[in-house]
Amino acid sequence: EARCKTVGGEMGYSKCYKNGTEIYEGDILIDDTGEPIEYWVVKFSDGGFVGECAGVAEPLFELTNLEIAGNIHKNPELLEEK
């Protein structure tokens, strides 16, 4: 079950993603199942959460096998091109 928070840089709305883990706008999700490893940034767009990677946006509910790697505030190096 999702619950709301309004602390820090969090956007004030959360969604349960996997195993009860909450996802916030600005979180970075990792897809390490293939090559290259992809990092998706969680954004809130058109009334719902999406993951964005390399200019492609997908609804968050379709990104089922990703794990939280960090967030854009504490881990910006994850998004640097290698």
Side-chain angles (χ1 to χ4, degrees):
E1 172 181 328
R3 58 192 168 119
C4 295
K5 289 185 175 183
T6 55
V7 297
E10 298 167 348
M11 66 175 288
Y13 178 80
S14 63
K15 175 184 177 182
C16 285
Y17 177 70
K18 187 175 183 182
N19 299 327
T21 302
E22 293 179 340
I23 296 270
Y24 296 94
E25 183 175 29
D27 281 351
I28 300 171
L29 309 178
I30 185 172
D31 178 357
D32 60 1
T33 59
E35 289 291 327
I37 293 173
E38 295 179 329
Y39 293 95
W40 294 77
V41 177
V42 176
K43 297 185 175 189
F44 194 76
S45 177
D46 295 325
F49 284 100
V50 297
E52 186 176 286
C53 178
V56 175
E58 297 287 342
L60 194 58
F61 68 86
E62 291 183 12
L63 303 174
T64 57
N65 294 319
L66 307 185
E67 299 289 333
I68 298 173
N71 68 57
I72 60 173
H73 306 289
K74 294 181 180 176
N75 312 98
E77 70 279 0
L78 294 175
L79 302 177
E80 295 173 2
E81 289 194 35
K82 309 240 181 313

